[in-house]
Amino acid sequence: MKTIVVAGSEAIESAVSLLRAGEAVALPTETVYGLAADALNEQAVVKIFAAKARPRFDPLIVHLPSADWVERVAAFPDSSRALFTKLTDRFWPGPLTVVVPRKPIVPDIVAAGLETVALRVSAHPVFSAIIRQFGGPLAAPSANRFGRISPTCAADVDAELGGLIPFVVDGGPTAHGLESTIVALRNDRIEVLRRGPITQEQLGEFGEVSISAGSKVEAPGQLPSHYAPATPLVLVDSADDFGTPGGKRCGLLGWGTTSTRFAEIRLLSRQGDLSEAARNLFRYLRELDGLGLDLIVAEKVPDNGLGAAINDRLGRAAQH
Ligand code: TXA
Ligand code: MG
């Protein structure tokens, strides 16, 4: 069987059969590609950890076929139910993950022993067709090796996990380019554990928002050094003022600079559009990382809206 197959009814059938047989397969979502397996089958979930070389202490997101599944896997305190319902009515299906107390049906390995589980319903038509046909929850982390850049197209999944997984469904480049926003609910407060496509401003309409992303390690995936390219990366306000070290080949991941001093240049968005920048971010980082440069100079983007999530990823890529 061919490993990478363009999304269509045959690819969907094959993915569902493999998932039912307890295999881990890579699927497109609207954020990044995920490596999915039956969330209720421990042996299947083990294959995700093995392919990614992911430590067992890092919990997985559980994707649900629809919001109707929530009651089967989550045990809410009544205090956060109203807020949960408001948020998921607004943002599901979509790029929002909510951490809630879990029921025993969720295997320990999925939750890495925590009392909670992270839940999401994807809006991607291919993902959603597969999970509905499969008929149960799918555990799916990003389809990259642990600590590396998340894949936003099928070729990037292949570069990360080729030879380690049996099947990749190619649904083209992903719409958002960044992983989902992760929140935990503390009574009527929303705590952002990972910034993403649903912005602080959007969440602010539903309650008081605090950002713990980056400040405290709630889960190991929030460790500062993540999304690491192999090439050293420095994050600057403007590359125009950055003195490139002599004799070094430097690449630019630019936002607003007009400088042409760099050996390789990738501009996140010529129009200054943050959505376009988010879509290009991981692809360009990966491209620059593959060019054997001595240094990547990345420019911060404006910190409003989606920009905060982009700067968060750049900040992590700069930590070696
Ligand atoms: O957009 C996304 O969320 C993608 C697509 C495939 O859905 N998935 C993804 O999964 O980014 P992953 O595993 O790469 O990142 C999930 C993050 C990890 O940092 C993990 O530590 C955290 O979610 N997480 C999972 N369960 C958690 C929990 N119960 N409490 C706190 N953090 C949790
Ligand atoms: Mg990940």
Side-chain angles (χ1 to χ4, degrees):
M1 185 165 62
K2 210 163 159 281
T3 312
I4 306 183
V5 178
V6 173
S9 50
E10 273 178 40
I12 290 172
E13 293 288 337
S14 306
V16 172
S17 313
L18 286 163
L19 289 166
R20 290 205 175 119
E23 295 297 331
V25 301
L27 306 178
T29 84
E30 71 276 46
T31 56
V32 299
Y33 275 71
L35 181 60
D38 182 349
L40 306 183
N41 174 346
E42 269 186 44
Q43 292 318 307
V45 173
V46 164
K47 292 181 184 164
I48 295 178
F49 282 92
K52 283 182 58 89
R54 180 172 176 124
R56 294 283 181 96
F57 56 70
D58 195 0
L60 306 178
I61 294 177
V62 171
H63 297 66
L64 302 175
S66 73
D68 300 341
W69 268 84
V70 168
E71 299 298 333
R72 299 210 224 171
V73 292
F76 290 101
D78 284 338
S79 55
S80 58
R81 187 184 292 271
L83 180 56
F84 178 89
T85 305
K86 275 194 247 172
L87 284 173
T88 53
D89 280 353
R90 171 69 182 83
F91 296 115
W92 278 7
L96 180 72
T97 297
V98 189
V99 174
V100 296
R102 70 168 156 130
K103 282 194 174 153
I105 188 179
V106 179
D108 283 339
I109 186 173
V110 170
L114 297 176
E115 295 303 312
T116 53
V117 61
L119 300 178
R120 166 159 128 76
V121 177
S122 168
H124 195 287
V126 174
F127 190 94
S128 112
I130 290 169
I131 196 170
R132 279 161 190 261
Q133 207 166 312
F134 176 71
L138 293 174
S142 52
N144 51 274
R145 278 170 287 137
F146 182 70
R148 299 241 327 138
I149 302 165
S150 296
T152 56
C153 65
D156 291 350
V157 174
D158 195 46
E160 287 289 321
L161 299 176
L164 298 170
I165 58 173
F167 201 60
V168 181
V169 178
D170 182 353
T174 62
H176 294 290
L178 292 178
E179 306 87 350
S180 62
T181 303
I182 305 181
V183 299
L185 309 181
R186 315 266 182 229
N187 298 318
D188 52 358
R189 278 190 16 253
I190 302 166
E191 188 174 343
V192 176
L193 304 180
R194 179 174 72 188
R195 293 183 195 266
I198 304 297
T199 64
Q200 184 177 356
E201 291 86 339
Q202 285 175 291
L203 293 169
E205 291 177 28
F206 295 86
E208 191 191 320
V209 180
S210 61
I211 307 287
S212 67
S215 57
K216 151 175 132 218
V217 176
E218 171 126 351
Q222 273 95 42
L223 288 173
S225 175
H226 221 70
Y227 311 101
T231 315
L233 181 145
V234 288
L235 186 56
V236 301
D237 287 323
S238 165
D240 290 331
D241 311 325
F242 183 81
T244 44
K248 302 262 188 209
R249 280 185 75 235
C250 296
L252 171 68
L253 184 62
W255 170 255
T257 194
T258 48
S259 176
T260 52
R261 290 172 291 130
F262 294 86
E264 291 284 347
I265 298 182
R266 298 289 183 284
L267 297 182
L268 286 171
S269 168
R270 285 174 197 280
Q271 287 84 38
D273 173 355
L274 288 170
S275 308
E276 184 184 22
R279 274 196 301 280
N280 286 331
L281 177 69
F282 289 155
R283 180 162 62 95
Y284 285 170
L285 257 181
R286 211 174 259 283
E287 276 179 25
L288 288 170
D289 198 26
L291 294 172
L293 298 162
D294 298 307
L295 182 69
I296 299 169
V297 179
E299 287 186 315
K300 281 188 195 152
V301 304
D303 217 31
N304 57 295
L306 255 185
I310 297 173
N311 286 334
D312 168 84
R313 303 305 191 274
L314 287 173
R316 288 167 207 268
Q319 310 248 347
H320 276 266

Short mmCIF file of all heavy atoms in Angstrom, two decimals, residues 237-282:
data_model
loop_
_atom_site.label_atom_id
_atom_site.label_comp_id
_atom_site.label_asym_id
_atom_site.label_seq_id
_atom_site.Cartn_x
_atom_site.Cartn_y
_atom_site.Cartn_z
N ASP A 237 13.55 42.35 17.14
CA ASP A 237 12.41 43.23 16.85
C ASP A 237 12.42 43.62 15.39
O ASP A 237 11.39 43.65 14.73
CB ASP A 237 12.46 44.47 17.75
CG ASP A 237 12.09 44.12 19.18
OD1 ASP A 237 11.20 43.27 19.36
OD2 ASP A 237 12.72 44.66 20.11
N SER A 238 13.62 43.97 14.88
CA SER A 238 13.74 44.30 13.46
C SER A 238 15.09 43.85 12.94
O SER A 238 16.12 44.14 13.56
CB SER A 238 13.61 45.82 13.26
OG SER A 238 14.06 46.14 11.95
N ALA A 239 15.09 43.15 11.81
CA ALA A 239 16.35 42.65 11.26
C ALA A 239 17.18 43.78 10.68
O ALA A 239 18.37 43.64 10.46
CB ALA A 239 16.07 41.59 10.20
N ASP A 240 16.55 44.93 10.43
CA ASP A 240 17.29 46.07 9.87
C ASP A 240 18.41 46.51 10.81
O ASP A 240 19.45 46.97 10.36
CB ASP A 240 16.33 47.24 9.61
CG ASP A 240 15.39 46.93 8.45
OD1 ASP A 240 15.78 46.16 7.56
OD2 ASP A 240 14.25 47.44 8.47
N ASP A 241 18.19 46.35 12.13
CA ASP A 241 19.19 46.79 13.11
C ASP A 241 20.12 45.65 13.53
O ASP A 241 20.96 45.83 14.40
CB ASP A 241 18.49 47.30 14.39
CG ASP A 241 17.37 48.28 14.07
OD1 ASP A 241 17.54 49.04 13.09
OD2 ASP A 241 16.34 48.26 14.78
N PHE A 242 19.94 44.47 12.96
CA PHE A 242 20.71 43.32 13.43
C PHE A 242 22.01 43.20 12.65
O PHE A 242 22.01 43.08 11.42
CB PHE A 242 19.89 42.03 13.28
CG PHE A 242 20.60 40.82 13.83
CD1 PHE A 242 20.59 40.55 15.18
CD2 PHE A 242 21.28 39.96 12.97
CE1 PHE A 242 21.25 39.43 15.69
CE2 PHE A 242 21.95 38.84 13.47
CZ PHE A 242 21.92 38.58 14.83
N GLY A 243 23.13 43.26 13.36
CA GLY A 243 24.44 43.11 12.71
C GLY A 243 24.72 41.64 12.45
O GLY A 243 24.94 40.89 13.39
N THR A 244 24.65 41.21 11.18
CA THR A 244 24.89 39.79 10.90
C THR A 244 26.36 39.47 11.12
O THR A 244 27.24 40.21 10.66
CB THR A 244 24.50 39.45 9.44
OG1 THR A 244 25.01 40.47 8.59
CG2 THR A 244 23.01 39.36 9.26
N PRO A 245 26.66 38.36 11.83
CA PRO A 245 28.05 38.02 12.12
C PRO A 245 28.84 37.76 10.83
O PRO A 245 28.34 37.06 9.95
CB PRO A 245 27.94 36.76 12.97
CG PRO A 245 26.49 36.47 13.18
CD PRO A 245 25.69 37.39 12.34
N GLY A 246 30.03 38.34 10.73
CA GLY A 246 30.85 38.21 9.52
C GLY A 246 31.19 36.75 9.23
O GLY A 246 31.39 35.96 10.14
N GLY A 247 31.25 36.42 7.96
CA GLY A 247 31.65 35.07 7.54
C GLY A 247 30.61 34.00 7.79
O GLY A 247 30.86 32.82 7.60
N LYS A 248 29.42 34.39 8.24
CA LYS A 248 28.36 33.40 8.52
C LYS A 248 27.26 33.53 7.48
O LYS A 248 26.94 34.62 7.03
CB LYS A 248 27.73 33.66 9.90
CG LYS A 248 28.70 33.63 11.04
CD LYS A 248 28.68 32.28 11.70
CE LYS A 248 29.52 32.29 12.97
NZ LYS A 248 30.09 31.02 13.29
N ARG A 249 26.69 32.39 7.11
CA ARG A 249 25.52 32.42 6.22
C ARG A 249 24.26 32.54 7.06
O ARG A 249 23.93 31.64 7.84
CB ARG A 249 25.45 31.14 5.38
CG ARG A 249 26.39 31.17 4.18
CD ARG A 249 26.18 29.92 3.32
NE ARG A 249 24.97 29.98 2.52
CZ ARG A 249 24.01 29.06 2.54
NH1 ARG A 249 24.08 28.03 3.33
NH2 ARG A 249 22.96 29.18 1.75
N CYS A 250 23.60 33.70 6.91
CA CYS A 250 22.42 33.96 7.74
C CYS A 250 21.16 33.95 6.88
O CYS A 250 21.15 34.49 5.77
CB CYS A 250 22.52 35.31 8.44
SG CYS A 250 23.89 35.36 9.60
N GLY A 251 20.10 33.39 7.42
CA GLY A 251 18.80 33.41 6.76
C GLY A 251 17.87 34.33 7.53
O GLY A 251 18.05 34.54 8.73
N LEU A 252 16.91 34.89 6.81
CA LEU A 252 15.94 35.78 7.46
C LEU A 252 14.54 35.21 7.36
O LEU A 252 14.07 34.83 6.28
CB LEU A 252 15.96 37.15 6.76
CG LEU A 252 14.86 38.13 7.20
CD1 LEU A 252 15.06 38.58 8.64
CD2 LEU A 252 14.80 39.34 6.26
N LEU A 253 13.87 35.13 8.51
CA LEU A 253 12.44 34.85 8.54
C LEU A 253 11.80 36.19 8.91
O LEU A 253 11.77 36.58 10.07
CB LEU A 253 12.13 33.77 9.59
CG LEU A 253 10.68 33.30 9.66
CD1 LEU A 253 10.24 32.66 8.35
CD2 LEU A 253 10.50 32.29 10.80
N GLY A 254 11.36 36.92 7.88
CA GLY A 254 11.07 38.34 8.07
C GLY A 254 9.59 38.67 8.19
O GLY A 254 8.73 37.94 7.70
N TRP A 255 9.35 39.79 8.81
CA TRP A 255 7.99 40.34 8.87
C TRP A 255 7.97 41.71 8.19
O TRP A 255 7.33 41.90 7.17
CB TRP A 255 7.53 40.44 10.32
CG TRP A 255 6.25 41.22 10.50
CD1 TRP A 255 6.12 42.50 10.98
CD2 TRP A 255 4.92 40.80 10.17
NE1 TRP A 255 4.81 42.88 10.97
CE2 TRP A 255 4.04 41.87 10.48
CE3 TRP A 255 4.38 39.63 9.64
CZ2 TRP A 255 2.66 41.80 10.28
CZ3 TRP A 255 3.01 39.56 9.44
CH2 TRP A 255 2.16 40.63 9.76
N GLY A 256 8.77 42.68 8.72
CA GLY A 256 8.65 44.03 8.17
C GLY A 256 9.92 44.56 7.55
O GLY A 256 9.95 45.67 7.04
N THR A 257 10.99 43.74 7.55
CA THR A 257 12.28 44.29 7.14
C THR A 257 12.38 44.46 5.62
O THR A 257 11.71 43.77 4.85
CB THR A 257 13.44 43.39 7.61
OG1 THR A 257 14.65 44.14 7.47
CG2 THR A 257 13.55 42.13 6.78
N THR A 258 13.23 45.41 5.22
CA THR A 258 13.46 45.63 3.80
C THR A 258 14.88 45.18 3.44
O THR A 258 15.31 45.32 2.31
CB THR A 258 13.33 47.13 3.47
OG1 THR A 258 14.10 47.86 4.42
CG2 THR A 258 11.87 47.56 3.54
N SER A 259 15.59 44.66 4.43
CA SER A 259 16.99 44.30 4.25
C SER A 259 17.16 43.17 3.22
O SER A 259 16.37 42.25 3.15
CB SER A 259 17.56 43.85 5.59
OG SER A 259 18.87 43.42 5.39
N THR A 260 18.23 43.27 2.43
CA THR A 260 18.52 42.21 1.46
C THR A 260 19.89 41.58 1.76
O THR A 260 20.49 40.93 0.92
CB THR A 260 18.54 42.78 0.03
OG1 THR A 260 19.41 43.92 0.02
CG2 THR A 260 17.15 43.20 -0.42
N ARG A 261 20.39 41.82 3.01
CA ARG A 261 21.74 41.33 3.34
C ARG A 261 21.79 39.84 3.59
O ARG A 261 22.85 39.29 3.85
CB ARG A 261 22.21 42.00 4.65
CG ARG A 261 22.51 43.45 4.57
CD ARG A 261 22.76 43.99 5.97
NE ARG A 261 21.56 44.01 6.78
CZ ARG A 261 21.49 43.51 8.01
NH1 ARG A 261 22.51 42.93 8.57
NH2 ARG A 261 20.36 43.60 8.70
N PHE A 262 20.68 39.16 3.58
CA PHE A 262 20.65 37.77 4.01
C PHE A 262 20.81 36.80 2.84
O PHE A 262 20.36 37.08 1.73
CB PHE A 262 19.35 37.50 4.76
CG PHE A 262 19.27 38.25 6.07
CD1 PHE A 262 18.81 39.55 6.10
CD2 PHE A 262 19.71 37.66 7.25
CE1 PHE A 262 18.76 40.25 7.30
CE2 PHE A 262 19.67 38.35 8.44
CZ PHE A 262 19.20 39.66 8.48
N ALA A 263 21.46 35.66 3.12
CA ALA A 263 21.69 34.66 2.08
C ALA A 263 20.36 34.07 1.59
O ALA A 263 20.20 33.73 0.43
CB ALA A 263 22.60 33.54 2.62
N GLU A 264 19.41 33.93 2.51
CA GLU A 264 18.09 33.38 2.17
C GLU A 264 17.05 34.21 2.89
O GLU A 264 17.22 34.54 4.07
CB GLU A 264 17.96 31.92 2.65
CG GLU A 264 18.84 30.95 1.89
CD GLU A 264 18.29 30.62 0.51
OE1 GLU A 264 17.12 30.95 0.23
OE2 GLU A 264 19.05 30.04 -0.30
N ILE A 265 15.98 34.55 2.21
CA ILE A 265 14.93 35.37 2.83
C ILE A 265 13.57 34.71 2.64
O ILE A 265 13.23 34.28 1.53
CB ILE A 265 14.91 36.80 2.20
CG1 ILE A 265 16.25 37.50 2.46
CG2 ILE A 265 13.74 37.63 2.76
CD1 ILE A 265 16.35 38.91 1.93
N ARG A 266 12.83 34.59 3.73
CA ARG A 266 11.42 34.16 3.66
C ARG A 266 10.62 35.22 4.40
O ARG A 266 10.85 35.45 5.59
CB ARG A 266 11.21 32.81 4.35
CG ARG A 266 11.97 31.64 3.75
CD ARG A 266 11.43 31.21 2.40
NE ARG A 266 12.13 30.05 1.87
CZ ARG A 266 13.35 30.08 1.32
NH1 ARG A 266 14.02 31.22 1.23
NH2 ARG A 266 13.91 28.97 0.86
N LEU A 267 9.68 35.86 3.70
CA LEU A 267 8.83 36.86 4.34
C LEU A 267 7.51 36.20 4.73
O LEU A 267 6.84 35.59 3.89
CB LEU A 267 8.60 38.04 3.42
CG LEU A 267 9.87 38.82 3.06
CD1 LEU A 267 9.53 40.02 2.17
CD2 LEU A 267 10.63 39.29 4.30
N LEU A 268 7.14 36.33 6.01
CA LEU A 268 5.95 35.64 6.52
C LEU A 268 4.69 36.10 5.81
O LEU A 268 3.80 35.32 5.55
CB LEU A 268 5.83 35.84 8.03
CG LEU A 268 6.83 35.02 8.86
CD1 LEU A 268 6.79 35.44 10.33
CD2 LEU A 268 6.55 33.53 8.74
N SER A 269 4.61 37.40 5.52
CA SER A 269 3.48 37.91 4.74
C SER A 269 3.85 39.25 4.14
O SER A 269 4.21 40.17 4.86
CB SER A 269 2.24 38.09 5.63
OG SER A 269 1.25 38.83 4.94
N ARG A 270 3.78 39.34 2.82
CA ARG A 270 4.09 40.61 2.16
C ARG A 270 3.04 41.67 2.45
O ARG A 270 3.31 42.85 2.43
CB ARG A 270 4.20 40.42 0.65
CG ARG A 270 5.48 39.73 0.27
CD ARG A 270 5.54 39.40 -1.21
NE ARG A 270 6.58 38.40 -1.40
CZ ARG A 270 7.87 38.68 -1.46
NH1 ARG A 270 8.29 39.92 -1.39
NH2 ARG A 270 8.76 37.71 -1.58
N GLN A 271 1.81 41.21 2.69
CA GLN A 271 0.71 42.15 2.96
C GLN A 271 0.60 42.53 4.43
O GLN A 271 -0.32 43.26 4.80
CB GLN A 271 -0.64 41.54 2.54
CG GLN A 271 -0.88 41.46 1.05
CD GLN A 271 -0.24 40.20 0.46
OE1 GLN A 271 -0.25 39.15 1.09
NE2 GLN A 271 0.34 40.31 -0.71
N GLY A 272 1.48 41.98 5.27
CA GLY A 272 1.36 42.26 6.70
C GLY A 272 0.12 41.60 7.29
O GLY A 272 -0.52 42.15 8.18
N ASP A 273 -0.23 40.41 6.77
CA ASP A 273 -1.43 39.70 7.22
C ASP A 273 -1.03 38.58 8.19
O ASP A 273 -0.30 37.65 7.82
CB ASP A 273 -2.11 39.13 5.95
CG ASP A 273 -3.29 38.23 6.26
OD1 ASP A 273 -3.57 37.95 7.45
OD2 ASP A 273 -3.94 37.79 5.29
N LEU A 274 -1.49 38.67 9.43
CA LEU A 274 -1.07 37.70 10.46
C LEU A 274 -1.57 36.28 10.17
O LEU A 274 -0.89 35.31 10.50
CB LEU A 274 -1.53 38.16 11.85
CG LEU A 274 -0.76 39.36 12.41
CD1 LEU A 274 -1.44 39.89 13.67
CD2 LEU A 274 0.70 39.00 12.72
N SER A 275 -2.75 36.15 9.54
CA SER A 275 -3.23 34.79 9.21
C SER A 275 -2.32 34.14 8.19
O SER A 275 -1.99 32.95 8.29
CB SER A 275 -4.64 34.82 8.62
OG SER A 275 -5.49 35.53 9.43
N GLU A 276 -1.91 34.92 7.20
CA GLU A 276 -0.99 34.39 6.20
C GLU A 276 0.36 34.04 6.85
O GLU A 276 0.96 33.00 6.56
CB GLU A 276 -0.77 35.41 5.07
CG GLU A 276 0.10 34.85 3.97
CD GLU A 276 0.43 35.85 2.86
OE1 GLU A 276 0.35 37.08 3.09
OE2 GLU A 276 0.79 35.39 1.77
N ALA A 277 0.80 34.90 7.76
CA ALA A 277 2.07 34.65 8.46
C ALA A 277 2.01 33.34 9.24
O ALA A 277 2.95 32.55 9.23
CB ALA A 277 2.39 35.83 9.39
N ALA A 278 0.86 33.10 9.91
CA ALA A 278 0.70 31.86 10.69
C ALA A 278 0.76 30.64 9.78
O ALA A 278 1.41 29.64 10.10
CB ALA A 278 -0.62 31.88 11.46
N ARG A 279 0.12 30.75 8.62
CA ARG A 279 0.12 29.61 7.67
C ARG A 279 1.53 29.32 7.15
O ARG A 279 1.87 28.19 6.88
CB ARG A 279 -0.78 29.93 6.47
CG ARG A 279 -2.23 29.58 6.67
CD ARG A 279 -2.98 29.55 5.35
NE ARG A 279 -2.93 30.81 4.63
CZ ARG A 279 -3.69 31.86 4.88
NH1 ARG A 279 -4.57 31.82 5.87
NH2 ARG A 279 -3.59 32.97 4.17
N ASN A 280 2.33 30.36 6.98
CA ASN A 280 3.68 30.19 6.41
C ASN A 280 4.74 29.83 7.44
O ASN A 280 5.82 29.35 7.09
CB ASN A 280 4.12 31.50 5.73
CG ASN A 280 3.40 31.71 4.41
OD1 ASN A 280 3.03 30.75 3.75
ND2 ASN A 280 3.22 32.97 4.03
N LEU A 281 4.46 30.13 8.72
CA LEU A 281 5.49 30.07 9.76
C LEU A 281 6.27 28.75 9.80
O LEU A 281 7.49 28.74 9.63
CB LEU A 281 4.85 30.34 11.13
CG LEU A 281 5.78 30.24 12.33
CD1 LEU A 281 6.79 31.38 12.32
CD2 LEU A 281 4.98 30.28 13.63
N PHE A 282 5.58 27.64 10.02
CA PHE A 282 6.29 26.37 10.21
C PHE A 282 6.93 25.90 8.90
O PHE A 282 8.01 25.31 8.90
CB PHE A 282 5.36 25.29 10.77
CG PHE A 282 4.97 25.51 12.21
CD1 PHE A 282 3.79 24.97 12.71
CD2 PHE A 282 5.78 26.23 13.08
CE1 PHE A 282 3.43 25.15 14.05
CE2 PHE A 282 5.42 26.42 14.41
CZ PHE A 282 4.24 25.87 14.90
#
